[in-house]
Amino acid sequence: MATPAAPDGRPVAVVLRPLGLGDLLTGVPAIRAVRAAVPGHRLVLATTTALAPLAGLVDAVDEVLPARELAPLDWDGPPPELAVDLHGKGPASHVVVADLHPARLLTFASPGYPGPTWYADEHEVRRWCRLVSEGLGVAADPDALDLAVPAVSPPVTGAVLVHPGAAFPGRRWPAERFAAVARSLADAGHDVRITGGPAERDLACAVARGAGLGEDAVLAGTTSTLELAATVATARVVVSGDTGVAHLATAYRRPSVVLFGPVSPALWGPPPRPQHLVLWHGDGAGDPWGTELDPALARITVDEVTAALDRLLA
């Protein structure tokens, strides 16, 4: 079992965030605010094994504890001085940190758990910043989203990255439209690469074929988490749906075009910076876990995306 207690006797703060890539990255400002509130503590971030390499790029984190969503933590140290639930709004996640028997527990208010009020219409970054700010009495900067650049060599630098995948079909713009965008970019002379995870390799290859690109343009399934981050950190521009890679572009302040459908960018969009352009024709009433293409996402045209990219690449 892990031994998360600080060996130097410092008090420990445990922060729970075992979710997806975008969830981790939108939680970074709140994690930094916890560090500011307890600068003398050893800060342990409980997140998924897959995201542990990226969690190590957050300067506020001293140690990463492997965790699974809503599962008890593998913790055999003494009770931490502070535990913070950056996972959810109710007892299902609150109990994960409460079971550590911390001296102080910070959660959103729910039955049996006092704390700040959860607002459903609040941006994800600001929500967690407010939890920490109100709960620990410290300022939290929602723009503190940056990550350190990984100490690995990216497979390519300065490329235009097209990322067609998303966790659910409702947030997945059609492959043939991504292919049309990629073809337009390649015809303009850009080095276009198609990114994605191992499960998205077939999708990425289909986009490459539709764009008239060779298999060497497909990075999906060939990069580690840190290699993907390093590639995004040097990208000329990133175009993607509402998914984790869009948040990587934000973390490295790279130009990006993000396509939103069922979810409003007011809840999950990038910060208001000129290098991040958002396309959206929805009302926020869609299903982010939907099994069919969301109608609002379907309304985004190839011409809209290429025009946004032209603005950023000009």
Side-chain angles (χ1 to χ4, degrees):
M1 294 178 66
T3 306
D8 56 7
R10 284 188 294 163
V12 174
V14 175
V15 176
L16 182 70
R17 191 74 170 165
L19 292 160
L21 173 58
D23 302 280
L24 172 65
L25 297 179
T26 53
V28 166
I31 295 167
R32 288 199 166 106
V34 174
R35 161 57 71 214
V38 289
H41 286 46
R42 182 167 184 80
L43 196 150
V44 178
L45 176 63
T47 192
T48 66
T49 299
L51 292 178
L54 281 180
L57 301 176
V58 182
D59 54 9
V61 174
D62 295 311
E63 182 179 337
V64 178
L65 178 69
R68 292 174 291 115
E69 186 173 359
L70 302 181
L73 294 175
D74 183 16
W75 177 272
D76 63 356
E81 194 280 324
L82 172 68
V84 182
D85 181 6
L86 292 188
H87 180 286
K89 62 179 179 179
S93 60
H94 296 354
V95 71
V96 176
V97 283
D99 280 352
L100 302 179
H101 305 291
R104 289 189 290 165
L105 176 65
L106 177 58
T107 70
F108 275 111
S110 68
Y113 295 91
T117 301
W118 174 282
Y119 300 121
D121 60 351
E122 192 168 21
H123 191 284
E124 184 73 2
V125 175
R126 293 185 177 276
R127 167 180 293 130
W128 300 110
C129 282
R130 182 175 59 82
L131 172 70
V132 177
S133 182
E134 291 186 12
L136 300 179
V138 65
D141 179 6
D143 202 47
L145 293 155
D146 303 59
L147 280 186
V149 177
V152 299
S153 297
V156 63
T157 60
V160 172
L161 303 183
V162 176
H163 189 89
F168 294 92
R171 288 184 272 139
R172 205 174 296 149
W173 202 49
E176 62 271 18
R177 297 192 205 179
F178 270 116
V181 170
R183 180 182 287 275
S184 175
L185 290 163
D187 288 347
H190 297 291
D191 180 9
V192 180
R193 305 299 175 108
I194 317 299
T195 57
E200 297 167 333
R201 175 82 185 177
D202 289 347
L203 171 62
C205 287
V207 170
R209 285 194 301 271
L213 301 173
E215 192 169 323
D216 60 340
V218 178
L219 299 182
T222 69
T223 57
S224 68
T225 303
L226 290 182
E227 288 170 337
L228 175 61
T231 303
V232 172
T234 69
R236 181 82 185 277
V237 68
V238 178
V239 56
S240 76
D242 171 22
T243 190
V245 164
H247 297 284
L248 274 178
T250 295
Y252 291 118
R253 297 178 181 262
R254 303 311 303 154
S256 63
V257 176
V258 189
L259 286 57
F260 278 81
V263 177
S264 167
L267 300 180
W268 280 90
R273 301 172 185 160
Q275 70 266 40
H276 305 309
L277 299 182
V278 167
L279 300 177
W280 188 55
H281 301 303
D283 58 8
D287 179 6
W289 303 282
T291 57
E292 302 291 338
L293 174 65
D294 183 81
L297 185 58
R299 285 194 284 270
I300 298 175
T301 68
V302 170
D303 286 346
E304 283 183 274
V305 177
T306 56
L309 287 164
D310 286 345
R311 286 173 57 190
L312 291 178
L313 291 165

